[in-house]
Amino acid sequence: MRYRITVLPGDGIGPEVTEQAVEVLKTVGSKYGYEFDFNEELIGGCAIDACGDPLPENTLQACKKSDAVLLGAVGGAKWDLLPGDKRPEAGLLRIRAGLGLYANLRPAVIYPALQDASPLKKEVVGTGIDIMVVRELTGGMYFGKKGRFQTEAGEAAFDTETYSTAEVERIARIAFEAAQKRRSKVTSVDKANVLESSRLWREVVQKVAGEYPEVELNHMYVDNAAMQLVRNPAQFDVIVTANMFGDILSDEASMITGSIGMLPSASLGKGTLGLYEPVHGSAPDIAGQDKANPIAAILSAGMLLKYSLGLDAAAKDIENAVEAVLDKGYRTGDIASEGSRIVGTKEMGKLIRDQLAGK
Ligand code: IPM
Ligand code: MG
């Protein structure tokens, strides 16, 4: 089989980590007999520099023609003072909307070899953390009506949180279906004690739950969820929530695993086309120094194989290779502890490829 992958390296450490992910895909390709055609396009700050637009039209078109998209990271201080719609982040929001990727899956897990990495106490982490955050990605406050206006007291600004029944239904289904393949529990997070959009969210999720009687559903207010994540993270299986709450809670969930440099994500829509990116950002302070952890990008390539191409065995192979390399004690600086064998971005990528190739 031949697959077309658009690679969007982006800014900061994005290019270094995606390079390693692409090399891993090539190794998987030769091992299993798949062919990948990679084409690289611009997004984020580098696209602003090259053509004045964080998401050039030909990037979007190339993505639409692909089987999957692999993204590094966008953003950096250089572009921070640009107006909202001209910033690198606007490119990310537009590509999510442009490709109809309404569901963002962010797994937060503790790897056995990194048991001690969590900043939480051992007794809190308990038997481990294995949470799937399902974040709604193309609605809510990110995409609602926004603007500025003048008042007698000076300038004011607003952003609107809007959700339709259809938007909530489809993300709820993604969450229930994910839970069916996991521990059959969904926690829907909202602010239904205050927000009308959350009250609709809760009603719709409750109704969709009727289609999945074997999945247990509970509702939680977002402030409580933020607290429960650090009080007793093991209670969570799948968390489903709105765009804004999901942005915040997924950072929290990833941090409690102690390994944000390890966590991949998938953004999915109606068809099989998906966008895969590490959860970490562009980390400009370490860019170009061969220090970044490429594992989140490599695991994102694994999610790509699984969710867009249906190559589950190859995806599992990547996960196993990553675990094996960690078990041997190799670490990039961000996840190093006493006695680790510290390696750079390139070396970590090579170790994982060698492991895959059985070298
Ligand atoms: C994320 C990021 C983005 C978001 C930013 C960079 C626009 O924080 O993917 O979580 O808020 O969605
Ligand atoms: Mg975020």
Side-chain angles (χ1 to χ4, degrees):
M1 276 299 280
R2 214 183 169 96
Y3 302 100
R4 195 181 171 84
I5 313 287
T6 295
V7 182
L8 307 176
D11 309 316
I13 58 171
E16 301 162 66
V17 297
T18 37
E19 184 189 339
Q20 296 310 312
V22 164
E23 290 304 317
V24 164
L25 284 176
K26 287 183 189 161
T27 303
V28 165
S30 31
K31 182 165 173 182
Y32 290 86
Y34 311 132
E35 290 200 59
F36 296 108
D37 294 324
F38 296 102
N39 63 304
E40 229 178 72
E41 303 290 344
L42 296 171
I43 192 168
C46 59
I48 297 173
D49 289 349
C51 38
D53 184 352
L55 181 65
E57 185 56 28
N58 61 316
T59 296
L60 184 61
Q61 292 314 325
C63 292
K64 284 186 176 165
K65 283 188 227 126
S66 310
D67 294 301
V69 181
L70 186 65
L71 187 138
V74 300
K78 182 175 170 193
W79 306 283
D80 271 352
L81 295 175
L82 292 170
D85 60 339
K86 301 272 175 330
R87 290 174 59 112
E89 291 82 356
L92 199 52
L93 299 188
R94 277 167 50 204
I95 199 171
R96 290 170 179 169
L99 300 177
L101 307 174
Y102 63 85
N104 187 210
L105 309 189
R106 297 188 165 182
V109 301
I110 289 201
Y111 285 81
L114 301 178
Q115 281 298 358
D116 298 330
S118 174
L120 300 180
K121 289 195 186 116
K122 274 209 176 58
E123 58 267 32
V124 175
V125 172
T127 48
I129 295 175
D130 181 359
I131 304 171
M132 176 69 87
V133 179
V134 177
R135 168 190 180 194
E136 199 291 325
L137 203 60
T138 51
M141 215 179 314
Y142 276 60
F143 291 92
K145 205 165 173 245
K146 59 183 84 230
R148 291 187 180 219
F149 57 96
Q150 290 301 328
T151 72
E152 275 166 21
E155 194 176 22
F158 66 97
D159 299 274
T160 325
E161 176 86 355
T162 307
Y163 271 111
S164 69
T165 300
E167 282 175 308
V168 183
E169 271 172 4
R170 65 184 184 181
I171 194 72
R173 287 207 175 87
I174 299 271
F176 285 109
E177 273 152 37
Q180 281 177 325
K181 296 190 200 121
R182 296 168 47 95
R183 303 193 303 283
S184 291
K185 188 172 172 195
V186 169
T187 303
S188 173
V189 173
D190 61 39
K191 188 71 185 172
N193 49 347
V194 177
L195 303 178
E196 200 53 44
S197 52
S198 280
R199 286 192 270 272
L200 178 76
W201 177 283
R202 195 175 275 225
E203 282 162 30
V204 175
V205 173
Q206 190 64 47
K207 199 184 85 212
V208 174
E211 297 167 29
Y212 304 87
E214 70 294 355
V215 179
E216 178 193 338
L217 168 69
N218 69 323
H219 302 276
M220 203 179 267
Y221 297 139
V222 63
D223 48 351
N224 186 28
M227 186 266 274
Q228 295 295 339
L229 269 171
V230 289
R231 195 187 73 93
N232 177 17
Q235 71 183 286
F236 295 105
D237 177 16
V238 173
I239 292 177
V240 63
T241 191
N243 204 344
M244 181 74 171
F245 297 155
D247 177 44
I248 299 165
L249 293 181
S250 61
D251 263 32
E252 188 185 2
S254 63
M255 186 60 220
I256 62 177
T257 71
S259 49
I260 189 158
M262 302 275 305
L263 301 180
S265 79
S267 301
L268 308 171
K270 226 166 52 192
T272 56
L273 174 62
L275 181 145
Y276 302 84
E277 58 178 315
V279 165
H280 63 69
S282 58
D285 52 319
I286 56 162
Q289 299 170 36
D290 196 41
K291 281 187 182 158
N293 186 348
I295 294 181
I298 290 170
L299 291 172
S300 297
M303 288 187 96
L304 179 158
L305 294 174
K306 178 171 168 170
Y307 290 98
S308 279
L309 311 185
L311 307 176
D312 289 31
K316 191 80 204 135
D317 206 4
I318 292 185
E319 283 174 31
N320 291 342
V322 166
E323 283 203 32
V325 168
L326 292 172
D327 284 342
K328 289 182 190 158
Y330 293 106
R331 304 279 189 274
T332 42
D334 58 316
I335 50 171
S337 56
E338 237 178 81
S340 331
R341 300 155 89 167
I342 299 193
V343 295
T345 313
K346 291 201 169 88
E347 181 66 18
M348 182 55 96
K350 180 166 187 309
L351 286 162
I352 294 167
R353 291 198 303 279
D354 286 352
Q355 182 72 35
L356 273 168
K359 277 189 205 156

mmCIF file of all heavy atoms in Angstrom, residues 323-343:
data_model
loop_
_atom_site.group_PDB
_atom_site.id
_atom_site.type_symbol
_atom_site.label_atom_id
_atom_site.label_comp_id
_atom_site.label_asym_id
_atom_site.label_seq_id
_atom_site.Cartn_x
_atom_site.Cartn_y
_atom_site.Cartn_z
ATOM 1 N N GLU A 323 8.928 1.937 24.296
ATOM 2 C CA GLU A 323 9.042 1.402 25.666
ATOM 3 C C GLU A 323 10.342 0.634 25.861
ATOM 4 O O GLU A 323 10.979 0.742 26.921
ATOM 5 C CB GLU A 323 7.841 0.502 25.980
ATOM 6 C CG GLU A 323 6.604 1.325 26.274
ATOM 7 C CD GLU A 323 5.574 0.569 27.104
ATOM 8 O OE1 GLU A 323 5.963 -0.269 27.938
ATOM 9 O OE2 GLU A 323 4.375 0.824 26.895
ATOM 10 N N ALA A 324 10.726 -0.117 24.836
ATOM 11 C CA ALA A 324 11.953 -0.922 24.957
ATOM 12 C C ALA A 324 13.172 -0.016 25.118
ATOM 13 O O ALA A 324 14.064 -0.282 25.930
ATOM 14 C CB ALA A 324 12.110 -1.820 23.731
ATOM 15 N N VAL A 325 13.202 1.085 24.346
ATOM 16 C CA VAL A 325 14.343 1.999 24.430
ATOM 17 C C VAL A 325 14.375 2.683 25.804
ATOM 18 O O VAL A 325 15.442 2.859 26.407
ATOM 19 C CB VAL A 325 14.290 3.031 23.270
ATOM 20 C CG1 VAL A 325 15.274 4.155 23.480
ATOM 21 C CG2 VAL A 325 14.555 2.332 21.931
ATOM 22 N N LEU A 326 13.193 3.026 26.316
ATOM 23 C CA LEU A 326 13.136 3.618 27.663
ATOM 24 C C LEU A 326 13.579 2.600 28.712
ATOM 25 O O LEU A 326 14.303 2.930 29.653
ATOM 26 C CB LEU A 326 11.717 4.100 27.981
ATOM 27 C CG LEU A 326 11.192 5.295 27.181
ATOM 28 C CD1 LEU A 326 9.722 5.523 27.484
ATOM 29 C CD2 LEU A 326 12.006 6.556 27.498
ATOM 30 N N ASP A 327 13.142 1.355 28.527
ATOM 31 C CA ASP A 327 13.523 0.299 29.477
ATOM 32 C C ASP A 327 15.039 0.120 29.544
ATOM 33 O O ASP A 327 15.577 -0.267 30.574
ATOM 34 C CB ASP A 327 12.866 -1.037 29.105
ATOM 35 C CG ASP A 327 11.391 -1.055 29.485
ATOM 36 O OD1 ASP A 327 10.986 -0.204 30.320
ATOM 37 O OD2 ASP A 327 10.633 -1.885 28.943
ATOM 38 N N LYS A 328 15.711 0.390 28.418
ATOM 39 C CA LYS A 328 17.177 0.264 28.409
ATOM 40 C C LYS A 328 17.847 1.444 29.104
ATOM 41 O O LYS A 328 19.064 1.500 29.193
ATOM 42 C CB LYS A 328 17.686 0.158 26.975
ATOM 43 C CG LYS A 328 17.338 -1.172 26.314
ATOM 44 C CD LYS A 328 17.911 -1.216 24.911
ATOM 45 C CE LYS A 328 17.362 -2.429 24.170
ATOM 46 N NZ LYS A 328 17.452 -2.261 22.706
ATOM 47 N N GLY A 329 17.046 2.421 29.527
ATOM 48 C CA GLY A 329 17.599 3.533 30.296
ATOM 49 C C GLY A 329 17.924 4.774 29.481
ATOM 50 O O GLY A 329 18.442 5.753 30.018
ATOM 51 N N TYR A 330 17.641 4.768 28.185
ATOM 52 C CA TYR A 330 17.924 5.960 27.370
ATOM 53 C C TYR A 330 16.872 7.034 27.633
ATOM 54 O O TYR A 330 15.674 6.752 27.694
ATOM 55 C CB TYR A 330 17.924 5.607 25.876
ATOM 56 C CG TYR A 330 19.051 4.700 25.499
ATOM 57 C CD1 TYR A 330 18.820 3.356 25.213
ATOM 58 C CD2 TYR A 330 20.359 5.180 25.439
ATOM 59 C CE1 TYR A 330 19.866 2.512 24.869
ATOM 60 C CE2 TYR A 330 21.408 4.343 25.109
ATOM 61 C CZ TYR A 330 21.163 3.008 24.819
ATOM 62 O OH TYR A 330 22.189 2.178 24.492
ATOM 63 N N ARG A 331 17.326 8.276 27.763
ATOM 64 C CA ARG A 331 16.414 9.395 28.028
ATOM 65 C C ARG A 331 16.922 10.659 27.334
ATOM 66 O O ARG A 331 18.127 10.896 27.306
ATOM 67 C CB ARG A 331 16.372 9.745 29.536
ATOM 68 C CG ARG A 331 15.999 8.625 30.482
ATOM 69 C CD ARG A 331 14.481 8.426 30.543
ATOM 70 N NE ARG A 331 14.125 7.497 31.589
ATOM 71 C CZ ARG A 331 14.101 6.165 31.450
ATOM 72 N NH1 ARG A 331 14.420 5.617 30.293
ATOM 73 N NH2 ARG A 331 13.769 5.380 32.462
ATOM 74 N N THR A 332 15.986 11.478 26.869
ATOM 75 C CA THR A 332 16.365 12.845 26.510
ATOM 76 C C THR A 332 16.335 13.647 27.821
ATOM 77 O O THR A 332 15.768 13.199 28.815
ATOM 78 C CB THR A 332 15.368 13.444 25.500
ATOM 79 O OG1 THR A 332 14.054 13.090 25.899
ATOM 80 C CG2 THR A 332 15.659 12.952 24.085
ATOM 81 N N GLY A 333 16.929 14.846 27.785
ATOM 82 C CA GLY A 333 17.103 15.631 29.011
ATOM 83 C C GLY A 333 15.823 15.848 29.806
ATOM 84 O O GLY A 333 15.824 15.797 31.034
ATOM 85 N N ASP A 334 14.702 16.073 29.107
ATOM 86 C CA ASP A 334 13.447 16.407 29.790
ATOM 87 C C ASP A 334 12.917 15.284 30.681
ATOM 88 O O ASP A 334 12.149 15.542 31.607
ATOM 89 C CB ASP A 334 12.366 16.786 28.758
ATOM 90 C CG ASP A 334 12.122 15.675 27.751
ATOM 91 O OD1 ASP A 334 13.097 15.091 27.263
ATOM 92 O OD2 ASP A 334 10.947 15.375 27.470
ATOM 93 N N ILE A 335 13.279 14.034 30.378
ATOM 94 C CA ILE A 335 12.752 12.919 31.180
ATOM 95 C C ILE A 335 13.868 12.171 31.913
ATOM 96 O O ILE A 335 13.663 11.069 32.426
ATOM 97 C CB ILE A 335 11.930 11.921 30.308
ATOM 98 C CG1 ILE A 335 12.721 11.517 29.055
ATOM 99 C CG2 ILE A 335 10.574 12.498 29.946
ATOM 100 C CD1 ILE A 335 12.073 10.393 28.263
ATOM 101 N N ALA A 336 15.052 12.806 31.941
ATOM 102 C CA ALA A 336 16.199 12.126 32.554
ATOM 103 C C ALA A 336 16.086 12.103 34.069
ATOM 104 O O ALA A 336 15.513 12.992 34.685
ATOM 105 C CB ALA A 336 17.482 12.836 32.147
ATOM 106 N N SER A 337 16.601 11.052 34.670
ATOM 107 C CA SER A 337 16.753 11.030 36.120
ATOM 108 C C SER A 337 18.118 10.409 36.398
ATOM 109 O O SER A 337 18.855 10.093 35.464
ATOM 110 C CB SER A 337 15.622 10.243 36.775
ATOM 111 O OG SER A 337 15.578 8.950 36.246
ATOM 112 N N GLU A 338 18.413 10.222 37.686
ATOM 113 C CA GLU A 338 19.743 9.714 38.028
ATOM 114 C C GLU A 338 20.012 8.380 37.344
ATOM 115 O O GLU A 338 19.144 7.503 37.322
ATOM 116 C CB GLU A 338 19.811 9.519 39.535
ATOM 117 C CG GLU A 338 20.941 10.316 40.147
ATOM 118 C CD GLU A 338 20.942 10.119 41.644
ATOM 119 O OE1 GLU A 338 21.470 9.083 42.093
ATOM 120 O OE2 GLU A 338 20.385 10.999 42.321
ATOM 121 N N GLY A 339 21.189 8.260 36.758
ATOM 122 C CA GLY A 339 21.557 6.984 36.150
ATOM 123 C C GLY A 339 21.068 6.798 34.723
ATOM 124 O O GLY A 339 21.326 5.772 34.100
ATOM 125 N N SER A 340 20.304 7.797 34.167
ATOM 126 C CA SER A 340 19.840 7.614 32.784
ATOM 127 C C SER A 340 20.988 7.770 31.814
ATOM 128 O O SER A 340 21.966 8.464 32.094
ATOM 129 C CB SER A 340 18.792 8.639 32.365
ATOM 130 O OG SER A 340 18.014 9.128 33.352
ATOM 131 N N ARG A 341 20.797 7.170 30.643
ATOM 132 C CA ARG A 341 21.772 7.360 29.563
ATOM 133 C C ARG A 341 21.216 8.475 28.684
ATOM 134 O O ARG A 341 20.313 8.260 27.871
ATOM 135 C CB ARG A 341 21.910 6.067 28.775
ATOM 136 C CG ARG A 341 22.394 4.932 29.677
ATOM 137 C CD ARG A 341 21.984 3.594 29.132
ATOM 138 N NE ARG A 341 22.979 3.053 28.198
ATOM 139 C CZ ARG A 341 22.966 1.782 27.779
ATOM 140 N NH1 ARG A 341 22.040 0.944 28.220
ATOM 141 N NH2 ARG A 341 23.875 1.355 26.932
ATOM 142 N N ILE A 342 21.758 9.683 28.868
ATOM 143 C CA ILE A 342 21.182 10.849 28.184
ATOM 144 C C ILE A 342 21.606 10.916 26.718
ATOM 145 O O ILE A 342 22.786 10.793 26.399
ATOM 146 C CB ILE A 342 21.560 12.146 28.924
ATOM 147 C CG1 ILE A 342 20.984 12.048 30.346
ATOM 148 C CG2 ILE A 342 21.018 13.375 28.204
ATOM 149 C CD1 ILE A 342 20.962 13.308 31.129
ATOM 150 N N VAL A 343 20.612 11.069 25.853
ATOM 151 C CA VAL A 343 20.880 11.163 24.417
ATOM 152 C C VAL A 343 20.147 12.376 23.839
ATOM 153 O O VAL A 343 19.241 12.920 24.459
ATOM 154 C CB VAL A 343 20.419 9.886 23.668
ATOM 155 C CG1 VAL A 343 21.223 8.675 24.105
ATOM 156 C CG2 VAL A 343 18.923 9.633 23.871
#
